[in-house]
Amino acid sequence: MKNLCVCMSLLLIMPTLAWAGQVVLFLGDGMGVTTVTAGRILAGQKLGKQGEEHKLSFETYDHVALIKTYNTDMQVPDSAGTMSAIVTGQKTRFGVLSVNAEVERGNCAQSLSGPVPTLLEQAEEAGFATGIVTTTRITHATPAANYAHVPERDWEDDSMLPPDAGAAGCKDIARTLIEFAVGDGIDVILGGGRANFLPAGESDPEYPEIKGRRKDGRNLIAEWLRNNQSPKGAQRQFVWKADSFAALATKGQVLGLFEPSHMQFEADRTKDRSGEPSLAEMTAYAIKSLQDKSRNFFLVVEAGRIDHGHHAGNAYRALHDVIALDAAVAVANKALDPRRSLVLVTADHSHTLTLAGYPPRGNPILGK
């Protein structure tokens, strides 16, 4: 298979499940065209080049395309609606996850009758191994769109779930992930967001001063580990720090939650208290683990903190996370057989970064 660098939808990927065998979807959250341009220049300048002539690993692909991912009710979209469009093939509203466009944000009753199947769910039903890797909370909008069907992206744990929604049958996103029952379950789950899985009052293992958020008293990590509904249940592993991740076996299903909230920006990662793996390291592990489990797999990898850097007006952090995504794509390019794999690199939406004025070639992209 040829590789693709595209802004794509489910309609493009669906036929590949029958013959591609191994599909990896990379998502740079907020990584619009200007961000790719600036990331390319910074990556080149860090190598001692002028920068403009450099190519990111996914810019060498044979095919490039652009489509529009948008919300049906807003001029400026968010990650919930746009990632939902990417993995379901249906455009939907701002703030909702993998439900149809008729579902109003926050309307539990409508969401229960409006779920739309995701590509990851269909891959599980087809017997594929599956994985999700992200640098955000695993319950954040982009990763959650792969497995959750909720009308409010902020329902990440039950402390955010309105009592009437819970009584009506809606679940928070963390619980939805732990109770995911399609196929034999997601095989590799790596990201941040431990606090959403731990009960209120329970100390985080890395930061004892930070407590869990769950009001229902449930420790969802412990529940996931002892869940024997899956034939792989006895082999399940949980990790939360770098040295445990480095020693992790590739057999069985894996849950890695490396921060109470989002993982560190790549520029700050080495300062983490207990260490955490890079996006490239998580990608390498996920591919090897999924390859060991099945001939066919579907993996989603999100560089989610590009978006967060832009929200803060911090080009330094955002662009270093673009470079981290570039390294992760390079890992996939090396690990996969191009004759039976498909790699796609895209963004869910663009962001605020602009290049203004007329600087000469080679001008430091983070300078004046």
Side-chain angles (χ1 to χ4, degrees):
M1 280 302 90
K2 298 295 186 181
N3 293 321
L4 300 175
C5 171
V6 299
C7 295
M8 35 58 69
S9 74
L10 178 67
L11 299 177
L12 177 62
I13 305 181
M14 271 302 296
T16 70
L17 288 181
W19 42 257
Q22 300 178 352
V23 179
V24 184
L25 168 60
F26 286 96
L27 195 293
D29 199 313
M31 189 181 69
V33 173
T34 307
T35 298
V36 172
T37 300
R40 173 197 314 128
I41 293 172
L42 179 61
Q45 290 179 346
K46 288 175 70 69
L47 295 173
K49 304 177 182 179
Q50 279 192 325
E52 291 82 5
E53 77 284 15
H54 183 68
K55 288 186 178 180
L56 300 171
S57 57
F58 51 89
E59 293 184 298
T60 63
Y61 288 176
D62 296 327
H63 304 286
V64 179
L66 291 173
I67 69 164
K68 292 187 290 185
T69 53
Y70 55 84
N71 297 147
T72 59
D73 59 345
M74 299 287 282
Q75 280 190 340
V76 176
D78 78 324
S79 293
T82 54
M83 188 59 174
S84 295
I86 288 170
V87 297
T88 70
Q90 293 192 34
K91 303 294 192 296
T92 192
R93 299 189 190 221
F94 187 97
V96 305
L97 292 169
S98 295
V99 293
N100 63 44
E102 283 69 49
V103 177
E104 298 172 353
R105 184 172 186 178
N107 191 315
C108 173
Q110 290 181 347
S111 71
L112 293 174
S113 60
V116 183
T118 72
L119 182 58
L120 184 142
E121 290 171 327
Q122 294 184 58
E124 273 291 334
E125 289 176 341
F128 280 51
T130 59
I132 302 174
V133 173
T134 181
T135 50
T136 69
R137 294 187 297 268
I138 198 70
T139 52
H140 208 238
T142 301
N146 292 282
Y147 61 84
H149 305 274
V150 296
E152 175 52 69
R153 59 177 289 174
D154 292 337
W155 292 355
E156 294 189 51
D157 63 74
D158 69 327
S159 71
M160 300 297 292
L161 184 70
D164 59 340
C170 283
K171 300 178 182 179
D172 64 88
I173 296 170
R175 180 183 167 192
T176 300
L177 177 60
I178 293 304
E179 297 179 358
F180 184 83
V182 183
D184 60 9
I186 305 171
D187 297 287
V188 178
I189 305 167
L190 302 174
R194 283 191 303 263
N196 293 328
F197 295 81
L198 297 176
E202 182 167 330
S203 295
D204 183 81
E206 185 176 10
Y207 306 93
E209 66 275 17
I210 297 177
K211 309 299 181 184
R213 292 178 50 86
R214 300 199 63 80
K215 297 171 64 177
D216 57 11
R218 296 172 64 175
N219 183 324
L220 296 184
I221 297 170
E223 291 184 24
W224 182 84
L225 285 170
R226 64 174 177 259
N227 180 3
N228 292 317
Q229 291 181 347
S230 165
K232 302 171 185 173
Q235 299 177 332
R236 284 180 167 174
Q237 305 170 85
F238 169 70
V239 292
W240 58 270
K241 56 183 178 178
D243 57 356
S244 299
F245 177 79
L248 196 59
T250 57
K251 294 181 179 180
Q253 294 180 327
V254 173
L255 174 62
L257 300 175
F258 301 103
E259 284 289 316
S261 184
H262 302 302
M263 293 180 67
Q264 301 285 345
F265 286 102
E266 176 62 22
D268 305 323
R269 185 171 57 84
T270 58
K271 303 173 186 176
D272 183 70
R273 185 178 296 184
S274 296
E276 59 186 51
S278 68
L279 188 63
E281 290 168 340
M282 291 192 292
T283 300
Y285 173 84
I287 290 174
K288 180 63 168 63
S289 181
L290 295 176
Q291 286 175 329
D292 287 350
K293 290 177 178 64
S294 174
R295 176 178 172 82
N296 301 318
F297 69 78
F298 174 64
L299 172 64
V300 177
V301 179
E302 183 205 16
R305 306 226 66 193
I306 298 170
D307 175 83
H308 296 165
H310 283 326
H311 275 298
N314 192 317
Y316 179 90
R317 286 189 170 94
L319 297 182
H320 277 85
D321 273 52
V322 172
I323 296 173
L325 173 63
D326 181 45
V329 175
V331 163
N333 291 343
K334 185 176 181 180
L336 297 171
D337 181 349
R339 296 170 296 181
R340 61 178 311 272
S341 63
L342 178 68
V343 177
L344 304 107
V345 184
T346 187
D348 50 355
H349 55 77
S350 189
H351 225 293
T352 56
L353 183 70
T354 61
L355 300 180
Y358 297 95
R361 288 176 70 91
N363 185 70
I365 193 64
L366 293 172
K368 297 182 177 179

